Amino acid sequence: MIVALQMCSGVCADANIEQLNQQLQQLPTTRPLLVCLPESFLVFSKSGQQTLAIAKQSDVYIQQIAELCRQYDIWLAAGTLPIATNNKYLAASLLFNNQGDVVAQYNKMHLFDVDVADGTGAYRESNYTQAGNDIVVVDSPFGKIGLTVCYDLRFSGLFSALQRGGAEIILVPSAFTTVTGAAHWQPLLTARAIETQSYVIAAAQAGQHENGRATYGHSIIISPWGDVLSELADGIGFIGCQPDLNRLHAIRRDMPVQSHQRFREQLL
Ligand SMILES: O=C(O)CNC(=O)[C@H](CS)NC(=O)CCC(=O)C(=O)O
């Protein structure tokens, strides 16, 4: 089973870990279980400087998260947490197994340097975040998992590359703005699921945060046919699904869009 947690992370990493611990206690006892967390679940801070301070201690938090994986016997897609690199940080999505080992790391490739009329002003993620360069697909007991983060959702070439790389389940941990979320979130996620004929699991930040931002929520799980399997509009909580990979491969067999593809994006 796969679940996505909807969170409302604050500025304090220790408090966010405690919120995570509380939420894990509410989950089904089904195993194996993959728990997907939103972008910036560890720290959703007021400034790049605050996030950088946490990024410099990321090892400490990674150990705590690994311990939660062992304690609850879960795999965990740790949305993003910041990992220091020179004087910036990577927005890293780490996949932990139920032994607490990090089995994959994807670093957010597309950075949100965008003006949004949401009262927050201009977003300039690249001022403090170092963009990643590598796509990541990793095998797991749940299927082959492709990793993306939030604004990556707008770049179909990445999703197409993940699908060609074997992905069956694509994760989109997010902290969408309320304005862009209302306009674009569900249509883009649905399109990516249909185009790649993959499960799309999007765990989201939701609500009014300590850092002054508001996020869209609406965590959602979409099937390779484009059906919404589960959704949570507001508040803290979780959604879940039991992926049916036989159905996924039947969809790909009956409508072989990948082998019909004539335009192949070149990444980089
Ligand atoms: O900065 C942090 O602490 C957490 N990171 C975020 O909130 C990121 C970068 S500012 N947000 C997005 O990518 C929103 C994308 C979006 O809303 C869209 O594509 O419309």
Side-chain angles (χ1 to χ4, degrees), residues 25-97:
Q25 290 170 25
Q26 315 299 319
L27 295 182
T29 54
T30 315
R31 297 293 182 273
L33 182 69
L34 170 62
V35 180
C36 303
L37 308 183
E39 185 178 29
S40 302
F41 78 95
L42 180 62
V43 57
F44 201 42
S45 64
K46 287 193 167 68
S47 71
Q49 283 309 314
Q50 286 179 355
T51 307
L52 186 57
I54 298 297
K56 288 178 174 162
Q57 313 169 44
S58 59
D59 285 356
V60 173
Y61 293 104
I62 289 168
Q63 289 315 312
Q64 292 182 19
I65 296 160
E67 182 54 34
L68 289 173
C69 294
R70 289 188 286 269
Q71 184 185 336
Y72 289 97
D73 183 26
I74 54 171
W75 285 59
L76 194 73
T80 60
L81 54 84
I83 296 181
T85 153
N86 301 320
N87 55 350
K88 292 191 176 185
Y89 51 82
L90 301 161
S93 181
L94 302 182
L95 182 67
F96 294 81
N97 67 17

Side-chain angles (χ1 to χ4, degrees), residues 39-40 43-45 51 80 89 108 110-112 116 123-125 128-129 149-154 175-178 180-181 184 188 211 213 215:
E39 185 178 29
S40 302
V43 57
F44 201 42
S45 64
T51 307
T80 60
Y89 51 82
K108 185 178 187 179
H110 301 94
L111 301 181
F112 193 55
V116 181
Y123 297 83
R124 292 293 179 271
E125 190 175 20
Y128 44 88
T129 309
V149 177
C150 198
Y151 185 55
D152 283 335
L153 174 59
R154 295 179 181 276
F176 250 60
T177 74
T178 53
T180 59
H184 301 153
L188 286 176
N211 65 4
R213 284 178 54 185
T215 52

